Amino acid sequence: MEIIKYLVLGIIQGITEFLPISSSGHIVLFKYFLDIKAGLTIDIFLHFGTLLAIFFVYYQDILNMIYFKDEYKTFNLYIIIGSIPAAVVGIFFEDFFEKMNSSLTVVGVFLIITGIILWLTNKITINKRKIKDMSVLDSIFIGLAQALAIFPGLSRFGSTIAAGLYKNLNRELATKFSFILSIPVIGGATLLKLKELTLNGTTDLNYFYLFLAAISSMITGYLAINFFLKMIKEQKLHYFAYYCITLGLILIFSL
């Protein structure tokens, strides 16, 4: 049934968006196998669902940012600065990277790169820096990692959390900064796609199916974030490396 396809895609989006295994790579793969043609429209609904999941998990931090409480004053600044690289890449190079989404081989290569990045996090042992110890250069470095994650198959959260750990941020801060840093990027990209959809018009789509896809991505996204936070606390981020490398090799040599 068609409705099952959209529910599955929503579940895949929710799980893979927040686990460091690349949502873009998996969505490309599942759209291919499920033969879903909604393209731009379903991307908007899926990303809106996962955006809500971040708000539900980090609502207290987001409120602190809105009211500029204590150390969140500088945290706000770092989020803004860290968002700039991805915004520049997304605005000026979107068409270039969109073409890559159709190549499963490219997805496979960057999944392997994601796996290597995740495996290397196991080698980082000293992570003690807190928000008060952060600098503008830290936010730029993590922001650049997020910008590079526009490559299909390269995990946004895997890259940004690894970048934060490399800069010796403590694990909780590296994770929190990574998730909240994604809000302007996911939100901005969703708005740009919505504008493009409005200008180009829509085809005959079932918006009930799209709504269900968004809800399923939100629920599974919320569960995935909490599972991922537990894995980070237990220092098991590198476990995802084996999955990414294996799937990457399968895509390169089997399809």
Side-chain angles (χ1 to χ4, degrees):
M1 293 175 61
E2 196 71 14
I3 190 173
I4 299 299
K5 292 183 179 181
Y6 283 83
L7 284 173
V8 169
L9 203 61
I11 291 170
I12 295 301
Q13 169 70 17
I15 294 173
T16 61
E17 178 70 44
F18 300 120
L19 298 184
I21 53 178
S22 175
S23 64
S24 60
H26 284 79
I27 291 300
V28 169
L29 185 62
F30 275 85
K31 277 184 180 178
Y32 174 79
F33 284 119
L34 295 174
D35 192 31
I36 293 179
K37 306 297 185 183
L40 183 64
T41 309
I42 195 167
D43 287 346
I44 293 171
F45 279 80
L46 291 174
H47 281 97
F48 180 70
T50 50
L51 195 61
L52 289 176
I54 299 175
F55 276 104
F56 283 130
V57 174
Y58 285 103
Y59 72 92
Q60 189 59 62
D61 293 287
I62 293 170
L63 286 176
N64 289 338
M65 291 173 67
I66 293 172
Y67 291 109
F68 294 95
K69 287 191 175 180
D70 303 324
E71 59 190 8
Y72 284 91
K73 295 176 183 178
T74 53
F75 192 79
N76 283 344
L77 175 63
Y78 295 146
I79 290 294
I80 293 170
I81 294 172
S83 301
I84 294 173
V88 172
V89 171
I91 292 171
F92 292 103
F93 301 100
E94 180 184 10
D95 292 340
F96 172 75
F97 288 105
E98 280 291 331
K99 294 177 182 177
M100 290 187 176
N101 283 328
S102 60
S103 172
L104 295 181
T105 300
V106 171
V107 172
V109 169
F110 282 103
L111 275 169
I112 292 174
I113 294 174
T114 292
I116 294 171
I117 291 171
L118 295 175
W119 185 80
L120 289 174
T121 62
N122 192 40
K123 306 300 179 182
I124 304 171
T125 55
I126 303 174
N127 307 107
K128 296 182 178 180
R129 297 175 66 207
K130 300 180 179 180
I131 293 179
K132 62 183 178 64
D133 304 313
M134 284 187 71
S135 68
V136 170
L137 290 179
D138 293 329
S139 62
I140 292 174
F141 183 77
I142 299 171
L144 288 172
Q146 178 171 247
L148 290 175
I150 195 171
F151 284 103
L154 193 58
S155 168
R156 175 191 293 113
F157 294 109
S159 300
T160 52
I161 292 174
L165 295 177
Y166 178 79
K167 298 297 288 185
N168 285 323
L169 303 184
N170 66 57
R171 290 180 178 272
E172 181 184 354
L173 175 57
T175 307
K176 180 192 299 183
F177 190 82
S178 178
F179 276 108
I180 296 179
L181 182 66
S182 72
I183 293 176
V185 174
I186 296 175
T190 302
L191 288 175
L192 286 174
K193 289 180 179 180
L194 184 60
K195 178 183 176 182
E196 183 181 338
L197 184 66
T198 303
L199 292 174
N200 295 337
T202 60
T203 54
D204 186 20
L205 298 173
N206 189 316
Y207 283 91
F208 176 69
Y209 290 173
L210 294 171
F211 177 75
L212 287 180
I215 294 298
S216 63
S217 71
M218 180 189 70
I219 294 172
T220 54
Y222 178 85
L223 296 174
I225 292 175
N226 284 284
F227 172 75
F228 184 56
L229 292 176
K230 181 180 179 182
M231 295 292 285
I232 285 286
K233 184 179 292 187
E234 295 175 357
Q235 301 186 26
K236 295 179 179 179
L237 186 60
H238 63 285
Y239 282 18
F240 296 102
Y242 308 112
Y243 172 81
C244 290
I245 292 173
T246 301
L247 180 59
L249 290 172
I250 290 173
L251 292 181
I252 292 172
F253 295 109
S254 300
L255 296 176

